[in-house]
Each structure stands twice: as structure tokens, then as C-alpha cells.
Amino acid sequence: MRKSFGAVEKTFSQQVFIIATYNEDGTVDAMNAAWGGIGNDKEIFICLSADHRTCKNFERTGAFTVSMGDADHIAACDFVGMVSGNDDPEKFRKSGFTTTPSTLVDAPIINELAVCVECKVKSWDPENCHLFGEIVNVSVDENALTNGNVDVDKVKPIIFNPFDHSYHIVGKKVGNAFKDGSALM
């Protein structure tokens, strides 16, 4: 037997994205968004309602960064999704995050989050909330690498569970992509 939830926005897994931009005065704004993912080659997609300060910022600068929320910074990641930059100009400072300017796009990199996707705005449709970004670079803190590769156990990325509004850590390896299925060929 199955339980029906109806036509709702509930799927797994929803990566916790922290989108960062610069405000007009050069200060940083960041927000939490879980509705998105990788689109075409070198493209990221995020659904954002147009009333966010972040949207006004990337409309002006043409750029944004997307950092992966992690287990070590759940409170800060959640906080930037709870408080609007339109209402609290000190929001980013209160989060405890710090930044370094990207050298490739006009947007900040959040130092505390190991994985960051640096993007140029490819297209933005405020009517349907669709933001597409061209991936210019993916930068990863060297402390999150093992033998030159990103180590998921060091990054400790989190996902959002829309069924009960909880965060979960991504973890245990259970298979090998593009390999395990060959047993059925």
C-alpha cells in the first residue's frame, strides 16, 4: 500500500544550496535554497521567488555563488534561509560566515563551506522563478580532499527532507555509478 501526498514539491534528495551575492553597498547577502540542481552541461538551475534580495543582487551583478550546505554549519545554513536580507541588513554577519571574493565572477565565496560553484547568470525568469547559471568554476577547500578528490565524508553535505522539514547528512557509499549496472547487461 502507498500513501498519496498529491501534487507537491517533495522529492529526494534536495541538496542544501547557499546562494551568495553582493549587495549594492558591497556587503554580502546569502540565502538557503533547496529547489535546484544541475541542468545541462556546465549549468545549474535554482528556483527562487523574485522577492529575495539575492535575486535583486544577481540581476545587478550578473553573478552568484552556490555553496553546498554542510553538517558542521547547519545553524548558519538554516539561519540564512529563515531571515530575509530585505528585513535584516546584518543577516550575513549574524550567520558567522565569512567570505573571499571570487576571482572569476562578481560574487563572494563562503569560506566555511568546502564546495562552491561560481556562476554567471545565464537566464532569469522572475515570473516562474527559474534561475539558470553558467558554471564558471567549482572550487573546493583543500581540507575536503583525499588524494586530490573531493571526499564526501570530509565535506559532510546535507540534504533537505521536504516531507518533515529536516536536514540529513549525505554519507555511506552504496555503489559505483556507471559500473554496478553492468552486471545486468
Side-chain angles (χ1 to χ4, degrees):
M1 186 156 203
R2 300 175 70 83
K3 177 179 178 176
S4 176
F5 284 87
V8 294
E9 71 293 342
K10 299 188 185 314
T11 63
F12 289 119
S13 75
Q14 294 181 350
Q15 175 68 47
V16 175
F17 291 146
I18 306 301
I19 298 119
T21 58
Y22 286 120
N23 294 315
E24 280 188 16
D25 64 1
T27 59
V28 175
D29 180 66
M31 67 171 288
N32 178 323
W35 315 121
I38 298 298
N40 292 327
D41 189 37
K42 296 181 186 162
E43 180 180 88
I44 195 164
F45 162 79
I46 305 166
C47 183
L48 300 174
S49 57
D51 60 337
H52 291 291
R53 175 177 288 270
T54 300
C55 298
K56 294 173 186 78
N57 288 342
F58 67 65
E59 284 179 322
R60 183 178 37 75
T61 65
F64 59 97
T65 59
V66 180
S67 295
M68 305 304 117
D70 67 34
D72 291 339
H73 301 94
I74 285 179
C77 290
D78 194 45
F79 175 77
V80 298
M82 295 171 58
V83 177
S84 171
N86 292 319
D87 299 331
D88 187 349
E90 296 295 312
K91 167 186 166 177
F92 189 78
R93 183 191 59 75
K94 290 177 183 177
S95 75
F97 284 138
T98 61
T99 62
T100 301
S102 166
T103 59
L104 301 172
V105 299
D106 187 11
I109 295 171
I110 298 175
N111 297 324
E112 291 77 12
L113 301 176
V115 179
C116 180
V117 182
E118 300 165 66
C119 303
K120 290 182 183 176
V121 174
K122 189 172 182 179
S123 68
W124 161 239
D125 184 346
E127 293 297 316
N128 64 23
C129 306
H130 292 171
L131 168 64
F132 288 89
E134 173 191 349
I135 298 172
V136 175
N137 186 47
V138 176
S139 61
V140 180
D141 186 309
E142 290 183 359
N143 292 320
L145 304 177
T146 298
N147 299 323
N149 293 312
V150 177
D151 186 330
V152 71
D153 292 328
K154 289 181 178 178
V155 174
K156 302 183 211 167
I158 56 173
I159 59 171
F160 172 65
N161 176 354
F163 291 94
D164 69 0
H165 294 165
S166 59
Y167 296 115
H168 296 264
I169 191 166
V170 176
K172 183 179 174 185
K173 179 179 176 180
V174 296
N176 297 294
F178 307 109
K179 184 176 180 184
D180 292 350
S182 64
L184 302 175
M185 295 180 125

